[in-house]
Amino acid sequence: MQLASSLRNLGRPQDSLALLDPESTTVGDGLDDAVVVFRALALADLGRHPEATASLVHALADHLPRYTASAHRYADALLAADGRGGSPGTH
């Protein structure tokens, strides 16, 4: 996490993503949300704002008991509108 963040801060968001993309966000090791956040920041630095936002919404959706399903659908809609379709694998 720290290396990915440092790479991003050094202007190397692609290298940051290369470290974070293989990391699972379903392990339950306490770092799942951190992976999503730092990955979203790198995506935003690369101009991939809909994908960054969708990944954050997917991660937050699981913390919204009354709105989980609709939040996931809205996040998927962001990706579909961006031409990426589907989910970034965060739910």
Side-chain angles (χ1 to χ4, degrees):
M1 207 67 55
Q2 294 163 335
L3 179 56
S5 179
S6 294
L7 288 169
R8 184 188 150 265
N9 285 323
L10 291 171
R12 297 170 52 192
Q14 194 63 49
D15 292 331
S16 178
L17 273 183
L19 286 176
L20 295 169
D21 278 347
E23 294 299 317
S24 173
T25 57
T26 59
V27 175
D29 60 2
L31 295 175
D32 301 346
D33 289 341
V35 170
V36 173
V37 167
F38 286 101
R39 188 175 177 283
L41 290 168
L43 289 168
D45 285 349
L46 292 167
R48 293 164 59 180
H49 302 287
E51 189 177 352
T53 302
S55 67
L56 293 171
V57 172
H58 274 302
L60 278 172
D62 293 332
H63 301 283
L64 306 171
R66 293 182 66 183
Y67 305 101
T68 300
S70 59
H72 281 301
R73 284 193 300 274
Y74 286 132
D76 287 339
L78 283 171
L79 294 173
D82 190 43
R84 296 185 190 276
S87 146
T90 60
H91 76 281

